Structures are given as C-alpha cells and as structure tokens.
Amino acid sequence: MIRLVARRLVYLVLVLIVITFLTYVVFFVGNPNDLAARFAGRDAGPAQIRDAAVRLGLNHGFWYQYWHYLVGLLHGSFGLDFQNQVPINSEIARAFPVTASLVVGSVVIWLLIGIPIGIMSATHPRTLRDRAGTTFALTFLSMPTFVLGVLFLLVFYYYLTRAGLSWFPAAGYVGITTSPGQWFLHLILPWLTLALVQAAIYTRLIRGSLLDVLGEDYIRTARAKGLSRRTVIYKHGVRAALTPVVTQLGIDVGTLLAGAFVTERVFGLPGLGQLALNAIGAADLPVVAAVVVLAASFIVIMNTIVDIVYALLDPRVRLA
Amino acid sequence: MSLLEVRDLRVSFDTDDGTVYAVQGMSFSVEPGQTLGIVGESGSGKSVATQAIMGLTPGATITGEAKLEGVDLLAMSERELEAIRGSQVSLIFQDPLTSLHPLYRVGHQIAEAMRVHSQVTKAQAEDRAIDLLGQVGIPEPARRVRDYPHQFSGGMRQRVMIAMALALEPKLIIADEPTTALDVTVQAQILELLARMQRDYQTAVILITHDLGVVADVADEVVIMYAGRPMERAGVEAAFVEPHHPYTQGLLQSIPSYSGRTGKLRPIKGYPPSLMRQINECPFASRCPYVHDECRVAPPPLKPVGTKPGHLSACVLPADRVGLSAAAPEGAAAGAGAAEQ
Ligand SMILES: Nc1ncnc2c1ncn2[C@@H]1O[C@H](COP(=O)(O)OP(=O)(O)OP(=O)(O)O)[C@@H](O)[C@H]1O
Ligand SMILES: [Mg+2]
C-alpha cells in the first residue's frame, strides 16, 4: 500500500512537471519583445516592458527561463495579471473558495439524491419505484445546466421576488466567514442547478453498477448464508458497486474545481470559471496560463486520490 | 422421516420472451446423513430446483412442497428461510472463483454466517474459521484466514466455500456442481474432502452433477432429471446395473466406460424439449427409441420397477425390463414398438 501511494505520488509529480512544461512552451516561448509586451501590462511603456523581460528571465536561455518559471510556481506565484498588474495569486485566492464552495456543496447534494435513488431503482428493478427514478434521471439528464439554472432564477428569484418574497439573491457570492447564512442563500440555487444534473447521472451510474453486482455469484452466496436482505444489499452489494462511482466522482470533482463555467456564469459567481472566461475574453495571457496549470493540476491530483481510494476499497488493487 | 422431501415442485420464470417452465414436477427426498446425486444434462433444472426450495431464485413462481423435517420451506416467509439458510441447509456453488466476495477476507466471510445465526463473539467466530480452514486442508490456516479470495487458487477457494458451508454444522449441504470449474486432480480432492466432511459432521448432501462417474463414487441414491422432471430414482447400484428408463440407459451408454467392448459411444440423438411451454407428455418421448402412444397422453408418473426397493421410474415400459442388456439396438426397438401397436 505504501509503495503504491509512493508510486502514485512520484507519478503525480512527473505529470505536473509535464503540464507546467507544456504550458510554459505554449505561453512563454516566442519572440522576447512580443512576450515581454504581452506580460508587461496594458499601459506599459518601454521601461516597464524591459522590466517584464527581466522578471520573466527572457534574456536567459530556455531552460533557465523554464526553471525560473517553475521556481515561481513552487513559491505559489503565478506572476502579475496583464490588465491590472495585480498578483494573479490573490485573484485565484479569491476565486477558488467560490468554486470550491459551489462544488463541495453540490457534490454533497447530488450524492444524497443520486445514491438512494440509484439503490432503490436497482433493488426494485422494473417496478413503479424504479420507473420513477428513471423518469427523474431522464428529466434532468436531458436538461442542460444553463436551462435549469435560468429556470431556477425565473421561479425562485423572479416570481418569488415579484410576489414579495425576496428569499434568494439573483447573483453574487458572500464568503462563509463573512456570513454563513448569506453564503448558504447565495449558493443554494447554484448548488441545486449543478447537483440535479449530476444526481441524474449518478442515479443511472449507481443503478447500473448495483444491478450488475446484485447479479453476481457472491451475492447468491451471501443470501445462501442466511444474511438479511439489508446486509446483502448494503454490505455485499453497495460496497462492491461503489468502485465505479468513486472513479467518476474523482473525475467530476477535478473537472468542476477547475471551474463550473456554466453555473458560475448563470449565477454570477466569481469563481475560477468566471476568472478563466474573463481572462480569455481580455486576452489576459498570464491569467489564462495560470488557470490552465491550475485546472490540469486539479484533475491530475483528483486522479491520484481516486487511485489511492480505489486501492483502499479493493484489496485486489492494493495487494497487486 | 426423510430429512428433505420435495414433491411436485414446479418453478417458472416470467421473462420478456414468455414464461420459462424450468422445473415441471420435480420430486425427490434426502435421508439424514446420506448423499443424493441429482444428475441431468445442462438446462434440465437441477440448479433451479434446488435453489428454488431455499428461496434463492428471485422472481420465480414456485408451487409444490419441500418439507425439511416435516416443515414446508415453500410456505415460509423470507425471514424464516433466512434463519434456515446457512445454519440448517448450506449451499456450495459451481464457480468458486466468483462465489466469494472479492472485497472481504475469507475469514470474515466464514465468520459472517456464524455471527448471524448464533451468539458468538467476533473472536470466537474467527477462531472457528481458522479451525475450519485447517479441517478443509488449507495450510497455515491462522495466516490464510486474513487473506482475500484472489490470493487463493480455484481449488483452495472451493475448500473455503466448503468450510463456510460447514461452519454451523448444517443437516444438509447442497453442492451444485462443486467441481465442474476445477481441473481433474483437484476435482477428486474436493470430492474426497466433501465425503470426509460429510462423514465427520453426519451431514446429508445433495450432489448435483452431470458426471455419472462422480455419482457412482460418492452417492447413495441418485435421481435422473430431464426437462425439469425426475425420470428415474434408485440406489446407486440399481441405477447403474438395472437402469429402467430409456433416458437413463441412454446416459449410461453415452459414457465411455459403459459403452462396452465395442468401444462405440452412443450419444442420445435429438434435443431436449423447449421449456417455453408446459410439457404434457413424456418429455423424453421425441427422443425415445421405445416411444408408445400412451407416452404422448400425459407424463408417466414414477412407478416402482426392477428388483430393489425404492427404485422408481417414470416410464411406461414393463417394470421388470431393466438393465442395459434389455435395451435393444435402435432398429430392433423400432420393430418391437411397431409390433406392440
Ligand atoms: N432467472 C431465470 N429466468 C429465466 N429462465 C431461467 C432462470 N434461471 C434459470 N432459467 C432457465 O431454467 C432452465 C434450467 O436451468 P438450471 O440452471 O436449473 O439448469 P441446470 O440443470 O442447473 O444446468 P447446468 O448443468 O448447466 O447447471 C434453463 O433453461 C435456464 O435457462
Ligand atoms: Mg446448474
């Protein structure tokens, strides 16, 4: 197990190095003068451009530059934003909690919805309950996130507010440390928007996975031992059905942490997705580069976590 | 009183393609401490019949009677059946590679049954699991008890299954082709182990197989099953020396050591009937060399035949017409059949 974790961590570092290298090649290799101009800021004069060239180490060789960049990243520095010349770190530090709040909250909601419905469907296949579960899943699966988001805004913001009940804000974000209540109110609609679509996916995933498992010989063995239906379903069935769910969850969380673009946009949440979209819109190269590195890192890190959890769940992987 | 007495068991499944009548009037009984062999070709309903009486065929429609020490299992609630499964009746399945849970240690899986059925502590159950693993011939049981199924070979896993089945000293073990998935040398070891455990624990065994050789070695009695019905039941000796039913005779002639000096194998021609309808004639009629008109009217009931007590056959042929020598070559049989008409 320790060897497996060590191996995965070494691999993680290697992949991160490759990612930073590729990002570096794509964003930072080119004519030094053009590059310096692109990084010096919107209103930069010749002196500032020269400063930028020095800061980026553009007058040194390629490997020195890359090393310089890598050391900067290791110190948690992504450089300065092109538009306003503020440290990108602080922008990310502001945006990340927003996205993280959005993702963590909706993960909790979609698992709380998806797992029970999935289990219910799988344990009562082809009954009314299963059909109800399937209908739920298909409804939200066929609904794009932005449609659902706009629908929520229409109903819970527009109609309620018109009816004199301004319970939910239309947009924006309030930090949990500033006001937990406001944090919750600002996030509840985005959470549901993101969670319902995901819950639909997980309902199907768990139903399929559990149905497969319940058809396995070892489930018959468990029943033949005289275990109660409950023990058979949960301890023997669900336990074995979780593996594909964990894999999917890792991928989803990694991808969403890099920015839940649509949901953030619809609800005006200033998260990483918004940051990335704005940066792309403004051709703000340093920020785009930073977000790319960050997004790729989240996905790779989540994959590593999935591999380790997988090994914890399954002795066949752990002891291999 | 028989330990288990199954009478007119019928099991069907409603599927998208129609109803499958998998078992259509199966009857058999098992005496305490004895071994009953159930033999039949693939699809004849051996697994369905034995699993249905234990409530292990989800979605099946079941009728008939299956009395364990006089109490009908088919009339029991799921709860009552749970109390019997694993403690009074244990099952061992065909494929040991897929029959153990891949995510739990074997010791835990053996202990699990003990802990639901009796008041033992975790430590006691674990000790007993080690003891059992030793008894079924697993070396270093105290260490192996903490291993996972994938760390065992197929034969060793079947030993684990046997240990699990024995954990609560059941009165009956249903072993459904316990050696089919194993290679030949391991097969013999497992059968020997099963026989030894049966002796030590005084357990009755239902041994399901399509290998008549296995039955000859270990069974006391045998039921020949075909298309969901019993064709013949007899003590092992009678079944091999004085087979009455043409199907039994056909089976015997299709195994190499029985085909005599000519060395010519005689596989039974034709195919079993479809199970998509209820069969209201002798199910073997279409393949039988001796078929009579009355075979087509209704499935013949079991009737006493031969010289040994308890020898029953579901065939209209004369009761004293037993033994392979009585089975004439096909041409002659057709002639005889014609002559009788
Ligand atoms: N759940 C089910 N739904 C529909 N049909 C089934 C089901 N289970 C079994 N059957 C059918 O019942 C018949 C008898 O099956 P069974 O498994 O009892 O045969 P068997 O004698 O054990 O054969 P084998 O020697 O191959 O194990 C087969 O035709 C099978 O297709
Ligand atoms: Mg079978």
Side-chain angles (χ1 to χ4, degrees):
Chain A
M1 186 67 200
I2 293 170
R3 274 181 47 207
L4 183 133
V5 173
R7 213 165 42 222
R8 297 303 309 169
L9 289 180
V10 169
Y11 180 69
L12 171 72
V13 171
L14 287 179
V15 174
L16 288 177
I17 289 176
V18 171
I19 289 170
T20 55
F21 183 76
L22 289 178
T23 316
Y24 184 76
V25 169
V26 169
F27 288 90
F28 295 89
V29 173
N31 182 329
N33 289 330
D34 295 351
L35 270 173
R38 258 187 258 155
F39 280 83
R42 207 167 20 192
D43 312 314
Q48 278 124 326
I49 293 182
R50 256 196 314 277
D51 278 354
V54 172
R55 204 174 65 229
L56 294 170
L58 292 180
N59 37 7
H60 294 276
F62 172 84
W63 291 108
Y64 176 86
Q65 288 181 38
Y66 173 60
W67 178 246
H68 188 73
Y69 170 73
L70 207 58
V71 170
L73 286 184
L74 283 178
H75 286 90
S77 160
F78 288 101
L80 297 181
D81 159 315
F82 175 78
Q83 297 177 79
N84 318 311
Q85 290 290 290
V86 294
I88 297 171
N89 304 18
S90 56
E91 296 191 62
I92 288 175
R94 229 176 306 127
F96 180 69
V98 181
T99 303
S101 300
L102 173 62
V103 173
V104 171
S106 59
V107 165
V108 171
I109 297 176
W110 89 51
L111 290 181
L112 284 180
I113 299 175
I115 292 180
I117 297 184
I119 292 176
M120 186 199 70
S121 290
T123 50
H124 302 87
R126 304 192 217 190
T127 62
L128 196 65
R129 287 198 247 180
D130 181 22
R131 301 234 159 81
T134 304
T135 309
F136 160 82
L138 289 183
T139 309
F140 289 106
L141 271 179
S142 55
M143 202 178 278
T145 315
F146 73 90
V147 173
L148 192 61
V150 170
L151 214 65
F152 273 142
L153 278 181
L154 184 69
V155 175
F156 292 101
Y157 173 69
Y158 184 71
Y159 288 153
L160 276 187
T161 309
R162 269 215 329 199
L165 304 166
S166 2
W167 290 344
F168 302 104
Y173 174 79
V174 175
I176 187 168
T177 46
T178 315
S179 159
Q182 282 300 314
W183 173 79
F184 186 82
L185 278 183
H186 277 83
L187 280 170
I188 185 82
L189 293 183
W191 278 341
L192 285 175
T193 303
L194 196 54
L196 283 174
V197 178
Q198 291 291 339
I201 297 173
Y202 279 71
T203 302
R204 302 310 290 166
L205 187 66
I206 289 160
R207 179 186 185 273
S209 173
L210 186 54
L211 265 181
D212 284 349
V213 168
L214 291 180
E216 292 281 351
D217 287 350
Y218 56 78
I219 294 296
R220 191 181 52 193
T221 307
R223 299 192 61 220
K225 278 195 264 187
L227 305 184
S228 68
R229 182 180 152 81
R230 223 189 150 69
T231 312
V232 171
I233 289 176
Y234 288 94
K235 200 172 149 212
H236 289 249
V238 174
R239 172 74 170 74
L242 277 184
T243 327
V245 179
V246 168
T247 310
Q248 185 66 34
L249 192 64
I251 295 170
D252 285 349
V253 169
T255 316
L256 286 175
L257 275 182
F261 295 91
V262 178
T263 314
E264 287 180 19
R265 193 95 195 173
V266 171
F267 291 95
L269 291 171
L272 287 176
Q274 286 281 70
L275 186 67
L277 289 177
N278 290 340
I280 292 168
D284 192 336
L285 235 48
V287 176
V288 177
V291 172
V292 167
V293 170
L294 210 59
S297 309
F298 284 145
I299 292 170
V300 180
I301 291 170
M302 282 314 296
N303 264 322
T304 307
I305 294 177
V306 164
D307 282 347
I308 293 170
V309 172
Y310 209 95
L312 286 175
L313 284 177
D314 193 336
R316 287 167 297 185
V317 180
R318 194 187 323 150
L319 303 170
Chain B
M1 182 170 57
S2 300
L3 175 64
L4 176 70
E5 172 109 46
V6 174
R7 215 172 292 158
D8 198 29
L9 178 71
R10 289 168 192 272
V11 186
S12 60
F13 297 94
D14 283 324
T15 70
D16 291 339
D17 306 324
T19 305
V20 179
Y21 297 92
V23 177
Q24 309 196 18
M26 183 62 187
S27 300
F28 62 89
S29 58
V30 190
E31 305 309 314
Q34 299 257 297
T35 299
L36 172 72
I38 298 185
V39 184
E41 57 199 270
S42 198
S44 55
K46 307 181 293 293
S47 301
V48 169
T50 44
Q51 286 171 24
I53 57 180
M54 296 313 301
L56 293 176
T57 46
T61 308
I62 307 170
T63 62
E65 213 178 65
K67 288 193 164 156
L68 183 72
E69 297 187 313
V71 188
D72 192 1
L73 296 170
L74 300 183
M76 283 188 185
S77 69
E78 178 63 21
R79 274 284 154 80
E80 292 169 309
L81 268 179
E82 277 167 13
I84 286 185
R85 289 201 289 257
S87 70
Q88 309 217 28
V89 181
S90 288
L91 294 97
I92 299 170
F93 301 107
Q94 176 172 346
D95 193 347
L97 296 183
T98 55
S99 292
L100 287 164
H101 200 296
L103 305 182
Y104 292 109
R105 300 175 196 278
V106 296
H108 172 85
Q109 296 190 48
I110 296 171
E112 204 175 19
M114 286 183 250
R115 302 201 58 208
V116 273
H117 291 296
S118 61
Q119 308 287 336
V120 292
T121 64
K122 209 167 173 170
Q124 287 171 327
E126 198 90 342
D127 284 348
R128 172 100 173 108
I130 295 174
D131 184 32
L132 283 162
L133 285 181
Q135 286 181 41
V136 297
I138 289 180
E140 292 186 72
R143 186 173 64 79
R144 300 307 305 263
V145 75
R146 300 186 52 76
D147 280 349
Y148 290 93
H150 74 274
Q151 294 167 295
F152 292 83
S153 68
M156 284 293 159
R157 283 189 228 188
Q158 200 59 299
R159 287 173 191 265
V160 172
M161 287 295 291
I162 293 175
M164 198 191 279
L166 287 170
L168 288 140
E169 310 193 4
K171 294 173 184 139
L172 174 65
I173 292 180
I174 300 174
D176 191 345
E177 304 191 33
T179 59
T180 309
L182 306 172
D183 66 56
V184 187
T185 45
V186 182
Q187 277 184 18
Q189 292 167 6
I190 293 292
L191 285 172
E192 195 185 310
L193 170 68
L194 205 57
R196 183 158 56 80
M197 289 294 130
Q198 171 180 28
R199 241 180 294 120
D200 293 354
Y201 283 80
Q202 290 295 308
T203 308
V205 172
I206 295 178
L207 181 70
I208 297 172
T209 173
H210 26 224
D211 188 340
L212 279 167
V214 167
V215 166
D217 284 343
V218 301
D220 299 303
E221 278 206 83
V222 56
V223 172
I224 311 287
M225 194 169 175
Y226 183 76
R229 295 181 64 88
M231 295 293 105
E232 183 159 8
R233 87 161 274 174
V236 162
E237 227 190 282
F240 283 86
V241 180
E242 303 183 335
H244 179 264
H245 201 287
Y247 178 61
T248 314
Q249 295 172 353
L251 275 186
L252 288 172
Q253 279 166 334
S254 64
I255 35 177
S257 55
Y258 263 81
S259 49
R261 265 168 230 117
T262 62
K264 229 176 87 187
L265 284 187
R266 295 214 313 220
I268 305 172
K269 291 202 177 72
Y271 300 95
S274 161
L275 298 175
M276 299 301 290
R277 60 181 183 87
Q278 277 174 294
I279 301 166
N280 39 28
E281 58 179 10
C282 172
F284 193 58
S286 63
R287 297 167 82 181
C288 182
Y290 312 108
V291 60
H292 288 56
D293 281 346
E294 63 175 301
C295 305
R296 303 282 190 188
V297 180
L302 286 171
K303 64 170 192 202
V305 296
T307 56
K308 304 280 190 314
H311 187 176
L312 305 173
S313 169
C315 180
V316 300
L317 290 175
D320 57 357
R321 199 173 173 286
V322 292
L324 280 187
S325 49
E330 264 158 59
E340 275 172 45
Q341 279 163 23

